Amino acid sequence: MYAEERQKLILERARREGRVDVATLAAEYDVTYETIRRDLMALERHAVLRRVHGGAIPVERLGFEPTLSQRDTVMTKEKDRIAKAALAELPQEGAILLDAGSTTGRLAEQIPADRELTVVTNSAPIALSLVPRANINVMMLGGRLRTRTQATVEGWALHALEETYVDVAFMATNGVSAERGLTTPDPAEAQVKRAMIRSARRSVLLADHTKVGNDHFSRFAALDEISCVITDTGLADGLAQELAAIGPRVTTV
């Protein structure tokens, strides 16, 4: 088994069981303790696990919120595929909303040159990436800029969204589950995300499979408020059907 394959299995187990143990993993995969420690170090560098004495815990269980730059280095191929699939949900013209996130950022980069769009966003990096595009009218939501996510939040953003109506909102999330819906660690970001969904005719969630089944502190939407979920083929068996049973169309790419 290649190291990358073993690390993927370790991460899946950590998310499923809440933690992993070095000794148990070494015995099951018939490798040394040091090999497992290197695997855990690699996963920690990707900001998906946090090492603890004797093993590791998934960052979701610690309430840890990775920075945008950390998230942008994880699941890159999957996020690229999700962003490309999301192009099918873009209108030919009109107004869309791009939530702050690494996958929505990839969608911004791939908007076709022939689309005449107004793009509303609370993401500073997304707004700056679209400014040179002559066919894009960029509307940047104001407010307090969170350092960790580079997203604007609080009153100014919320007030602007009250006066905004778009065709499609492309949403990001830290977690999504059938039981809890869409969740994120920060209540201020949850407020803005909730207002974004209210301001849109329909909402499309872009979320790689590592987000599915995870719950965070602040809930901002129920699954039946989302029109479509676009995720990747790494989703565990049965999860796509579980999400779709609540309402949204689920596309795996």
Side-chain angles (χ1 to χ4, degrees):
M1 181 182 293
Y2 292 110
E4 290 81 4
E5 293 175 302
R6 187 173 57 248
Q7 289 163 18
K8 181 176 183 292
L9 293 172
I10 290 171
L11 178 58
E12 289 173 352
R13 179 169 182 164
R15 285 178 165 146
R16 184 174 63 250
E17 299 181 5
R19 68 165 292 145
V20 287
D21 176 81
V22 170
T24 302
L25 292 173
E28 289 190 5
Y29 292 113
D30 194 24
V31 294
T32 65
Y33 283 24
E34 190 56 34
T35 296
I36 295 298
R37 290 193 185 99
R38 284 197 296 269
D39 287 337
L40 298 182
M41 288 175 65
L43 290 166
E44 187 173 50
R45 283 196 299 271
H46 285 300
V48 292
L49 288 186
R50 179 71 62 84
R51 286 186 297 156
V52 296
H53 181 69
I57 294 174
V59 294
E60 297 91 338
R61 303 303 181 200
L62 297 170
F64 173 73
E65 185 182 13
T67 63
L68 179 62
S69 59
Q70 287 172 322
R71 296 201 307 271
D72 208 33
T73 63
V74 178
M75 308 296 293
T76 54
K77 293 179 181 177
E78 290 84 353
K79 289 175 180 178
D80 284 338
R81 295 202 304 271
I82 291 168
K84 287 178 183 175
L87 293 174
E89 305 296 328
L90 274 177
Q92 283 296 127
E93 58 183 21
I96 67 169
L97 191 151
L98 293 180
D99 187 14
S102 55
T103 311
T104 49
R106 283 171 162 76
L107 172 59
E109 294 169 359
Q110 296 180 29
I111 294 176
D114 63 347
R115 305 293 171 93
E116 296 287 338
L117 294 171
T118 293
V119 177
V120 182
T121 186
N122 69 329
S123 166
I126 288 176
L128 290 172
S129 74
L130 292 174
V131 165
R133 300 279 301 274
N135 61 317
I136 303 294
N137 178 32
V138 181
M139 304 293 289
M140 176 76 192
L141 296 171
R144 177 172 66 87
L145 186 65
R146 292 193 70 220
T147 304
R148 184 164 290 277
T149 59
Q150 298 180 43
T152 55
V153 295
E154 296 179 352
W156 287 356
L158 294 171
H159 179 72
L161 286 167
E162 287 176 0
E163 308 298 325
T164 300
Y165 190 59
V166 300
D167 298 296
V168 189
F170 292 92
M171 301 301 300
T173 190
N174 296 80
V176 54
S177 69
E179 297 81 11
R180 304 295 180 191
L182 283 62
T183 54
T184 194
D186 185 73
E189 289 217 22
Q191 275 191 313
V192 171
K193 288 175 183 288
R194 196 175 298 120
M196 286 175 170
I197 290 171
R198 286 199 302 265
S199 75
R201 191 186 310 276
R202 59 191 180 93
S203 298
V204 177
L205 177 66
L206 311 184
D208 67 73
H209 75 272
T210 64
K211 311 290 179 58
V212 181
N214 291 322
D215 299 320
H216 291 267
F217 181 70
S218 296
R219 183 174 186 261
F220 63 90
L223 262 175
D224 60 9
E225 296 178 78
I226 303 298
S227 305
C228 175
V229 176
I230 304 178
T231 186
D232 63 86
T233 53
L235 209 61
D237 290 344
L239 274 183
Q241 293 84 348
E242 187 177 330
L243 298 181
I246 297 175
R249 171 168 48 91
V250 178
T251 301
T252 56
V253 294

